[in-house]
Amino acid sequence: MSRQVHLNVNILNAGVFGGSWRFPDTDPLASFTLGHYVDIARKAEAAAFDAVFLADGPGVREDLRYRPFNNLEPTVVLTAIAAATSRIGLIGTLSSTFNDPYDVARRLATLDVISGGRAGWNVVTTAGADVAANFGLDDEVEHAARYRRAAEFVQVVRALWNSWEPGAFVGDVERHVFADADRIHAAEHRGEHLSVAGPLNVPRSPQGEPVVVQAGASSDGRALAAAVGEVIFTAAQTIPDAREYYVDVKSRAALLGRDPEQVVVLPGLSTVIGATEAEARERRKLLAELVPPEYALNRLAGQLGVGREDLDLDRELPWRLLPEPDASGGSQTFYKVATDLARRERLTVRQLLFRLGGGAGHRIATGTPEQVADTILEWVDAGVADGFNLMPDVLPEGFDAFVDHVVPELRRRGRFRTGYTATTLRGHLGLDEPQWQRPGARAEAVAR
Amino acid sequence: MSRQVHLNVNILNAGVFGGSWRFPDTDPLASFTLGHYVDIARKAEAAAFDAVFLADGPGVREDLRYRPFNNLEPTVVLTAIAAATSRIGLIGTLSSTFNDPYDVARRLATLDVISGGRAGWNVVTTAGADVAANFGLDDEVEHAARYRRAAEFVQVVRALWNSWEPGAFVGDVERHVFADADRIHAAEHRGEHLSVAGPLNVPRSPQGEPVVVQAGASSDGRALAAAVGEVIFTAAQTIPDAREYYVDVKSRAALLGRDPEQVVVLPGLSTVIGATEAEARERRKLLAELVPPEYALNRLAGQLGVGREDLDLDRELPWRLLPEPDASGGSQTFYKVATDLARRERLTVRQLLFRLGGGAGHRIATGTPEQVADTILEWVDAGVADGFNLMPDVLPEGFDAFVDHVVPELRRRGRFRTGYTATTLRGHLGLDEPQWQRPGARAEAVAR
C-alpha cells in the first residue's frame, strides 16, 4: 500500500488570505462564533482528518481594522469541539514563553482525558514586544532564551503528565484506598527558567499523554522541534526547501536517539480550488484584490523588519536594508520563505505579496481538485512531507471544496483513509503511546 | 411575591463528606470523568438552578490516599458543560495568586461568549506552600499580599473585559473595515503587582462581562468581597453568624458606593436528605463512619495549624495551642467557623469532626425534604442569605434527592422558579449588566 497522507485542518479565522473575510457569501464575523469552529471540525471528522489545529497568540497581532485575528482561547474552543465530536484530534497552540507549566500541563491533560486521548499541544515561543506587554514584560524575550525556556517548559510539562503511574487511582472502597500514594510522583523540577514541584492533579489519558507539536525554523527552533516534536509543522515553497528541512529535522531527531518514523512532518498548504484551473486562478486573483495594498505593505514591512517607506510595489525587496533574520523581530519561518522566494524568482514586492497571499509563508496550491491532489502526493512521494496542515483559502467554503472534491480524489488513489482506524490522536498519526516514565527519569534531549 | 431563593450546586467531587466516594452504590472514581459533571449540570438546569459551581486548587490538596480532590481543570469542564446545556450559569474558580490576568480574562471571556453569557469567576487567593511550589514560589505568598494582588488582578481583568466597546466589530465588507480601531482600547495597567497592556482579543459577551464571585472571610477577604464580589460565598453555622457576615459585607459594599441589592450572598449548605428524619440521621451517621479518624484528625490539625498529637478525640480543642487565624496557614473561613462552633457548644474533637463532616465549615442540613426546605427559607426570611451554594452529601445521588424532593417543596411554597426567565447568569441572579466603561475609567473600589 502506498504511503497514506496525514491531514489536519488549520481553522484560521475566516481563511488564510488577508481578504478571506470579505469573500462573497462569507460571514465576516463568523470566526468570533463557536459554531464556525465546531462545524468545520465536524466536517473534518466526517472526512476522517487526523486533527483540527488552532493557531494562537495571546494578543491582538494583526491590524484589526483590516482582518480577523486569533481571538477565542484555544483550549476552550477545542473543548467545545471535543464535546461535539468523538474521533478527531484536537491540537491547540499555547505559548511556552508566557504561561505556567503546571497550568498548561493541567489544561491539556484535562482536554486529553475528557476527549478520550485526542489532545495535542503546539508549543510556540511567541515573538513580539506587544504580546510580552500583556504579560508584564517590558521587552520581548530574546530569541535564544525563548527556545531554552521552551525546551525546559516541555520537559516539565511531560514530567507532570507522568505524575501518575497507570493504575494509580484505585478507588478501593473496602480497604479505604482512594489512590495509591506510592504510584504518584512529584516532578521536583528546578531549572534555569522554571521551578515546579508537582504532582499534577490529573490522571493519565487514554493516549498516555498529549501529542507535542512544534514548528521551529531557526537553528534553535529546529533543535527544539527535533528534540521534542512528535508532529512538526513547517513552511516551504519548493520541494528542495521542504527536503532540506525534512531531512534536517529527522536527522537531528535520529541523532538524539529518536525514531524518525515517530516524527511526523507536515508543511502548511493553502488551497484555492476551482472546477477548472481558470476558475481557481480567477478565485486566487479575487482573493488578492480583496486586500488593500497599504495594509499588505505595512504587514510585510513589519514581518521583515524594514520600514514601510522602504518597500516599493514595483521593485524588488530592498535587499541591502533587510536585517538579519534573527533581528527582524518576526517569525523566522516567514522571513526565510519570503526572502528565498523573492530572491529565487526575482519578484517585485507586488508579485511577492500575491505569492504569499497574506499568510505566513506557506505554499499555495491553486487548481482543480485533481491538481491539488497531485501536488499533495508529489510532495509525499518525494519524501519531503508526511502530509499537510491545510489552510483553506476561505472558511468554511474552501474547506468544503477540499473535503468534497480533493479527499475523494485522494481516496480514489488509495492514499487517504475512508474512516478512522484508531480512537486517539496518536493512533491517527501512527505515533506510539509513550511508556510511563518516572518524572525526572526521562532522558530529555533538551535543545540547548 | 415572597423573595425567591437562589441556588447553585457545587459539584465537589463525590460529595462534600470525606467518605462520600465510599457511599453505597457510588462510583468511587466518577469525579475523574467528565460525565459526572455534565450529568449533574443537566439535572441542575432541568431544575432551573442559577449555576453550577466548581471549586479548585491547582495542586493535590488532600491526602489522596483517602479521598478525591479537585482534578480536572475548571474552565475545560465548564466548557464541556456549556456545550451540553443552554441556560445554566457556569462558575469556575481560578486563582488570582498564580495566573496571568490576560490569560484568565481571556479564558473566562471566551467561556462567556461561547455560552451566550453564562460565565462566572470565583476569585480565590489560594493559601498553601504546596500549591505555591507548583508555580515556582519557594514560600507561600503572605495573606495580605495575596489580597492586594487579588484586588489589582480583578481590576485588570475587568479592564481587559472592557477592551471592546459594544459594536466594535463592524465586519463591513464594502468599506473594508473589519473592526473599528477607535472603539478598541488598551488597558495600559501598571500597578503594584501587575503590568498588562491589552487590549484583550475577545469581544464583549451577551451579559457584558462574567459575574465576579468572591468568598472572603478575613478582614482583607471581606474588603475584597465587598469591593468586587457580585456573588459572595460564605460559611456560617448559625443565623447570628450568617447575619453578622451578611450585614457586614453588604454595608461595606454600600460604603463603597455599590447597590447592596446587586450583591448576592450565598452561604454554603450541605444537605443530608432522608424520607424520614431518622433515615436522614442514619445516613449522616454512615457518612461519618466512612471516614477513618486518623485521616480526619490529620486534616483538622493541618487546617487549624496545630500538631496531630495536640488533638484528642475525646477532649475539646487545645485552645491554648491554637495559632491566631492568620497564622494557621489554612482557610480563615474554616478556622473561624470551626473554632466558633467548638467553643460555643463545647464540643469534643470527635463531636466537632462529626459536625463539620469533612467539609470546609459549611452548615449541614440533615432531615426530610420539608425540613431542608424549612431551614433554607428560615435563613432567607431572616434576611441573612439570598440563597445557597448547595453541597450535596453524595454525588450524584444526594443532589437527585434535593432536585426531586426539596425543589418541588420550595416551589409549592412559591419560593423557587419553575423555569428560567432569563438567558444569562446575570439574568438568573438579578444582577444588572454592567455598562461598558473605558478601561481605566472604572472607579474600582480597591480593597487595600
Side-chain angles (χ1 to χ4, degrees):
Chain A
M1 195 172 75
S2 297
R3 188 146 191 180
Q4 295 290 294
V5 176
H6 290 287
L7 292 174
N8 297 333
V9 56
N10 182 346
I11 311 178
L12 200 62
N13 307 311
V16 72
F17 286 86
S20 301
W21 66 278
R22 297 179 69 205
F23 201 77
D25 301 323
T26 297
D27 173 2
L29 298 180
S31 64
F32 287 80
T33 65
L34 186 62
H36 180 69
Y37 301 89
V38 170
D39 290 347
I40 292 167
R42 282 187 166 135
K43 280 177 199 154
E45 180 168 84
F49 269 49
D50 289 13
V52 295
F53 170 74
L54 295 183
D56 197 53
V60 177
R61 307 302 302 269
E62 293 284 354
D63 186 336
L64 43 80
R65 287 172 296 183
Y66 293 113
R67 69 186 290 183
F69 48 89
N70 303 306
N71 63 99
L72 303 178
E73 196 281 324
T75 55
V76 173
V77 176
L78 290 175
T79 301
I81 292 174
T85 57
S86 61
R87 288 294 192 97
I88 195 162
L90 312 158
I91 303 175
T93 299
L94 279 90
S95 176
S96 59
T97 302
F98 302 121
N99 290 296
D100 284 300
Y102 197 92
D103 181 61
V104 166
R106 188 171 176 218
R107 283 153 64 196
L108 289 163
T110 302
L111 176 64
D112 208 20
V113 166
I114 69 155
S115 66
R118 297 191 279 144
W121 171 31
N122 181 37
V123 186
V124 294
T125 63
T126 319
D130 51 343
V131 173
N134 289 336
F135 291 86
L137 301 172
D138 284 332
D139 290 307
E140 178 178 18
V141 184
E142 174 262 325
H143 187 270
R146 288 206 312 271
Y147 277 89
R148 283 201 308 278
R149 180 178 155 108
E152 190 182 334
F153 198 110
V154 174
Q155 187 183 6
V156 179
V157 165
R158 281 181 164 160
L160 291 168
W161 285 338
N162 282 268
S163 296
W164 306 87
E165 285 188 47
F169 286 102
V170 177
D172 187 330
V173 168
E174 291 309 312
R175 290 171 47 237
H176 202 139
V177 179
F178 181 73
D180 180 350
D182 293 338
R183 292 156 90 185
I184 298 166
H185 309 275
E188 300 297 0
H189 173 90
R190 280 183 181 272
E192 182 189 353
H193 301 86
L194 301 162
S195 167
V196 183
L200 192 66
N201 50 3
V202 184
R204 204 166 167 78
S205 98
Q207 66 171 349
E209 54 190 69
V211 173
V212 171
V213 180
Q214 227 283 314
S218 66
S219 176
D220 290 337
R222 289 174 181 216
L224 177 65
V228 307
E230 299 176 278
V231 172
I232 300 182
F233 290 155
T234 175
Q237 292 280 337
T238 66
I239 286 182
D241 283 353
R243 175 173 292 118
E244 187 278 322
Y245 187 86
Y246 189 94
V247 171
D248 184 51
V249 290
K250 291 223 176 183
S251 306
R252 287 178 188 241
L255 281 172
L256 294 169
R258 300 182 61 200
D259 176 0
E261 290 293 314
Q262 292 287 306
V263 176
V264 177
V265 177
L266 304 179
L269 182 69
S270 300
T271 49
V272 184
I273 300 166
T276 63
E277 187 175 336
E279 188 181 307
R281 294 201 178 280
E282 195 56 37
R283 183 177 167 96
R284 170 91 187 271
K285 189 159 157 284
L286 174 58
L287 281 161
E289 289 167 358
L290 291 173
V291 181
E294 273 315 297
Y295 160 69
L297 282 170
N298 278 332
R299 184 170 188 269
L300 182 65
Q303 285 170 315
L304 295 180
V306 297
R308 156 66 190 90
E309 66 282 2
D310 300 324
L311 298 180
D312 183 329
L313 278 170
D314 296 310
R315 291 177 182 271
E316 285 194 43
L317 286 177
W319 293 109
R320 284 173 308 175
L321 299 177
L322 288 187
E324 291 298 307
D326 56 2
S328 71
S331 153
Q332 294 196 28
T333 305
F334 176 85
Y335 183 100
K336 181 174 185 324
V337 170
T339 55
D340 283 358
L341 178 65
R343 188 178 283 113
R344 188 170 52 237
E345 304 191 19
R346 302 192 59 99
L347 301 176
T348 64
V349 167
R350 190 188 307 275
Q351 291 166 326
L352 177 64
L353 288 171
F354 182 81
R355 291 289 292 277
L356 295 170
H362 297 279
R363 187 166 62 114
I364 305 174
T366 304
T368 64
E370 294 73 23
Q371 289 172 321
V372 172
D374 286 344
T375 191
I376 285 174
L377 295 180
E378 184 188 4
W379 282 42
V380 172
D381 291 338
V384 304
D386 299 314
F388 291 91
N389 195 27
L390 278 191
M391 302 172 178
D393 54 355
V394 176
L395 290 169
E397 184 219 335
F399 184 54
D400 292 346
F402 189 92
V403 166
D404 294 342
H405 303 293
V406 182
V407 167
E409 185 62 30
L410 292 171
R411 285 181 177 151
R412 266 192 290 279
R413 305 186 196 181
R415 304 299 292 277
F416 191 66
R417 67 168 83 87
T418 54
Y420 289 108
T421 57
T423 60
T424 66
L425 177 56
R426 287 185 182 280
H428 304 330
L429 290 164
L431 294 173
D432 297 338
E433 180 177 324
Q435 290 288 313
W436 177 81
Q437 295 192 45
R438 184 180 296 269
R442 188 195 293 251
E444 198 77 56
V446 174
R448 288 270 160 99
Chain B
M1 194 172 73
S2 297
R3 188 147 190 180
Q4 294 290 295
V5 176
H6 291 287
L7 290 174
N8 297 334
V9 57
N10 182 347
I11 311 179
L12 201 61
N13 306 312
V16 72
F17 287 85
S20 302
W21 66 280
R22 297 180 67 207
F23 201 77
D25 300 323
T26 297
D27 173 1
L29 298 180
S31 63
F32 288 80
T33 64
L34 187 62
H36 180 70
Y37 301 89
V38 170
D39 290 348
I40 293 167
R42 282 188 166 133
K43 281 178 198 153
E45 180 168 86
F49 270 48
D50 288 15
V52 294
F53 171 75
L54 295 183
D56 196 53
V60 177
R61 307 303 304 266
E62 294 283 354
D63 186 336
L64 44 82
R65 286 172 298 183
Y66 293 113
R67 70 186 290 185
F69 49 87
N70 304 306
N71 64 99
L72 303 178
E73 196 280 325
T75 54
V76 174
V77 176
L78 290 175
T79 301
I81 292 175
T85 58
S86 60
R87 289 293 192 97
I88 196 162
L90 312 158
I91 303 175
T93 299
L94 279 92
S95 176
S96 59
T97 302
F98 303 121
N99 290 294
D100 283 301
Y102 197 93
D103 181 61
V104 166
R106 188 172 176 215
R107 283 154 64 197
L108 289 163
T110 302
L111 177 64
D112 208 20
V113 166
I114 68 155
S115 66
R118 297 192 277 144
W121 171 31
N122 181 37
V123 186
V124 294
T125 63
T126 318
D130 52 343
V131 173
N134 289 336
F135 291 85
L137 301 173
D138 285 331
D139 290 307
E140 178 178 20
V141 183
E142 173 263 324
H143 187 269
R146 288 206 312 272
Y147 277 89
R148 283 201 308 277
R149 180 178 156 106
E152 190 182 335
F153 198 112
V154 174
Q155 187 183 6
V156 179
V157 166
R158 282 181 164 160
L160 291 168
W161 285 338
N162 282 268
S163 296
W164 305 87
E165 286 188 46
F169 286 102
V170 176
D172 187 329
V173 168
E174 291 308 313
R175 289 172 46 237
H176 203 139
V177 178
F178 181 74
D180 180 350
D182 293 338
R183 292 156 90 184
I184 298 166
H185 309 275
E188 300 297 1
H189 174 89
R190 281 184 181 268
E192 181 190 357
H193 302 84
L194 301 163
S195 167
V196 183
L200 193 65
N201 51 1
V202 184
R204 203 167 168 77
S205 99
Q207 66 171 348
E209 55 190 68
V211 173
V212 171
V213 181
Q214 227 283 315
S218 65
S219 176
D220 289 338
R222 289 174 181 215
L224 177 65
V228 306
E230 299 176 278
V231 173
I232 300 182
F233 291 156
T234 175
Q237 293 280 337
T238 66
I239 286 182
D241 283 354
R243 175 173 291 117
E244 187 278 324
Y245 186 85
Y246 189 94
V247 170
D248 185 49
V249 291
K250 291 223 175 183
S251 306
R252 286 177 189 241
L255 280 171
L256 293 169
R258 299 182 62 200
D259 175 0
E261 290 293 314
Q262 292 287 307
V263 176
V264 177
V265 176
L266 304 179
L269 183 69
S270 301
T271 50
V272 184
I273 300 166
T276 63
E277 187 174 337
E279 190 181 305
R281 292 198 178 283
E282 194 56 39
R283 183 178 168 95
R284 169 91 188 269
K285 189 158 157 284
L286 173 58
L287 281 161
E289 288 166 359
L290 290 173
V291 180
E294 273 315 298
Y295 161 69
L297 282 169
N298 278 332
R299 186 172 188 267
L300 182 65
Q303 285 170 315
L304 295 179
V306 297
R308 157 66 189 90
E309 66 283 2
D310 299 324
L311 298 180
D312 183 329
L313 278 170
D314 296 310
R315 291 177 183 274
E316 284 193 45
L317 287 176
W319 293 110
R320 284 173 310 175
L321 300 177
L322 288 188
E324 290 299 307
D326 57 3
S328 70
S331 153
Q332 294 198 29
T333 305
F334 177 85
Y335 183 100
K336 181 175 186 322
V337 169
T339 55
D340 283 357
L341 178 66
R343 188 179 282 113
R344 188 171 51 237
E345 303 192 18
R346 302 192 60 97
L347 300 177
T348 65
V349 167
R350 190 189 305 276
Q351 291 167 326
L352 177 63
L353 287 171
F354 182 82
R355 290 289 292 277
L356 295 171
H362 296 279
R363 187 164 63 113
I364 305 173
T366 305
T368 64
E370 295 72 22
Q371 289 172 321
V372 172
D374 286 344
T375 192
I376 285 173
L377 296 180
E378 183 188 3
W379 282 42
V380 172
D381 291 338
V384 304
D386 299 314
F388 291 91
N389 195 27
L390 279 190
M391 301 171 178
D393 54 355
V394 177
L395 289 169
E397 184 219 335
F399 183 56
D400 293 346
F402 189 92
V403 166
D404 293 343
H405 303 294
V406 181
V407 166
E409 184 63 31
L410 292 171
R411 285 180 177 151
R412 267 193 288 281
R413 304 185 196 182
R415 303 299 294 277
F416 191 67
R417 65 169 83 89
T418 54
Y420 289 108
T421 57
T423 60
T424 66
L425 177 56
R426 288 186 181 279
H428 305 331
L429 290 164
L431 294 173
D432 296 338
E433 180 177 323
Q435 290 289 312
W436 177 80
Q437 295 193 44
R438 185 181 295 267
R442 187 195 293 251
E444 198 77 56
V446 175
R448 288 271 159 98

